[in-house]
């Protein structure tokens, strides 16, 4: 997740702590187990029996201070604070048997606004649930080239790395990118993916697309995040884009969609899955509580109705989108509460 300049003083904290003590500085390692048995959706289990699923129990999660930090602590939590995951088994899934995997995320609990990408946010957890569900129940995401934009901790890209041909994990700032790379190395063995197919690269939305081509310099450690010309061409052939919780500032939303339009109009036809959380503040202009940036976000694409038609021809051409019903996205990860303010959108680019 990117953030603008002049934001070092103000500290923010995600509601997702993954078992870590709130408002505690430094980076933590959170480990949690997921499997191909998602949580039971709201509304009871009558429908589940008919679809061949049943509830089972999985292991709890834990959180500990990252290597190199002083005073390392480990925290395991239950329903009163511990993170216990309920899972259900899908019977008769011929494509993939149920598998338990451990995902480790190095992340912060608090950060400056500039470094919010060091934290884990609800929208990233939702999009990870979606990627896991696709990888467990279909081959739609298998063997494709993909990119996560504004990746933050890289959680979504890591979940997709298990089945991807290539995944570009992108964000801005050496601290964010260093943490992404650390998470790639932490997870390649447990999630059973080849580190070579996961590329952590800097993508500054202010420079739009394509990013500048750079040369690796042994005297500059951050140069490992520069793009080569061949990588840019490969990224333009990506068919799948991910973005989670990148909508929180009108200025950055402008830059984000400028980059997205340039990228989606280049190379192969692409589909983007975007998740966001509405955040409400009092507006003097509207004399009421409004979701900051949400109206502006919706102005960047035309919404498709249920029949695939356009419901508002006055919106900007090029990008079209449809909202995804979250009831269709089983919850594999219990470490967050979806609530009513999370949304998921599928965005496509239609040439003028």
């Amino acid at each position: 997740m990117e953030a603008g300049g002049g934001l070092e003083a103000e500290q923010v904290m995600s509601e997702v702590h993954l078992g870590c003590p709130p408002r505690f500085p430094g980076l933590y390692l959170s480990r949690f187990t997921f499997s191909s048995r998602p949580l039971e959706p709201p509304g009871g289990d009558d429908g589940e029996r008919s679809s061949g699923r049943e509830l089972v129990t999985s292991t709890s999660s834990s959180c500990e201070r990252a290597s190199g930090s002083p005073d390392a602590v480990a925290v395991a939590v239950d329903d009163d604070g511990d993170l216990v995951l309920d899972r259900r088994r899908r019977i008769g899934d011929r494509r993939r048997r149920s598998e338990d995997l451990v995902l480790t995320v190095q992340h912060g609990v608090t950060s400056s606004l500039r470094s919010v990408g060091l934290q884990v946010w609800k929208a990233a957890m939702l999009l990870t649930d979606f990627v896991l569900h696709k990888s467990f129940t279909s081959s739609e995401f298998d063997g494709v080239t993909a990119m996560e934009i504004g990746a933050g901790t890289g959680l979504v890209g890591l979940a997709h790395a298990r089945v991807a041909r290539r995944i570009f994990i992108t964000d801005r700032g050496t601290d964010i990118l260093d943490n992404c790379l650390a998470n790639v190395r932490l997870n390649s063995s447990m999630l059973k993916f080849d580190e070579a197919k996961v590329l952590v690269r800097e993508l500054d939305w202010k420079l739009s697309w394509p990013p500048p081509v750079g040369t690796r310099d042994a005297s500059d450690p951050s140069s490992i995040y520069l793009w080569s010309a061949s990588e840019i061409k490969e990224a333009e052939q990506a068919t799948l884009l991910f973005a989670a919780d990148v909508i929180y500032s009108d200025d950055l939303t402008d830059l984000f969609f400028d980059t997205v339009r340039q990228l989606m109009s280049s190379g192969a036809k692409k589909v983007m899955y975007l998740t966001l959380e509405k955040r409400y503040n009092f507006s003097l202009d509207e004399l009421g509580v409004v979701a900051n940036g949400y109206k502006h976000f919706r102005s960047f694409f035309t919404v498709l109705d249920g029949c695939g038609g356009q419901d508002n021809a006055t919106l900007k051409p090029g990008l079209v989108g449809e909202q995804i019903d979250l009831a269709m996205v089983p919850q594999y990860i219990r470490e967050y509460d979806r609530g009513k303010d999370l949304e998921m959108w599928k965005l496509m680019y239609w040439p003028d």
Side-chain angles (χ1 to χ4, degrees), residues 23 27 88 95 126 217 288 307:
R23 302 191 181 281
L27 296 178
R88 68 188 178 206
R95 182 172 176 273
L126 170 60
D217 182 352
C307 300

Side-chain angles (χ1 to χ4, degrees), residues 9-24:
E10 186 174 353
Q11 295 289 304
V12 295
M13 179 178 66
S14 167
E15 294 179 5
V16 180
H17 308 140
L18 300 184
C20 298
R23 302 191 181 281
F24 201 94

Side-chain angles (χ1 to χ4, degrees), residues 247-250 253 279 291-298:
I247 307 301
Y248 55 95
S249 158
D250 286 357
T253 299
R279 293 181 172 86
N292 277 350
Y294 183 74
K295 183 177 180 181
H296 190 59
F297 158 72
R298 289 288 299 269

Side-chain angles (χ1 to χ4, degrees), residues 37-41 48 53-55 87-90 330:
R37 297 161 290 178
L39 287 170
E40 180 184 359
E48 291 308 305
R53 293 174 183 241
E54 63 183 58
L55 289 174
R87 297 290 181 259
R88 68 188 178 206
R89 178 167 57 248
R90 185 182 185 92

Side-chain angles (χ1 to χ4, degrees), residues 27 112 114-115 118 172-180 225:
L27 296 178
S112 67
R114 181 188 294 275
S115 299
L118 291 174
R172 185 176 76 90
T174 303
D175 57 340
I176 306 296
L177 297 171
D178 284 348
N179 193 55
C180 281
Y225 304 122

Side-chain angles (χ1 to χ4, degrees), residues 68-106:
S69 297
D71 303 323
V73 283
V75 181
V77 291
D78 58 17
D79 285 339
D80 296 322
D82 295 340
L83 303 177
V84 178
L85 307 181
D86 292 326
R87 297 290 181 259
R88 68 188 178 206
R89 178 167 57 248
R90 185 182 185 92
I91 300 173
D93 186 345
R94 297 179 181 177
R95 182 172 176 273
R96 295 188 182 173
R97 295 181 178 180
S98 172
E99 53 183 316
D100 290 330
L101 298 169
V102 178
L103 177 59
T104 301
V105 181
Q106 178 173 283

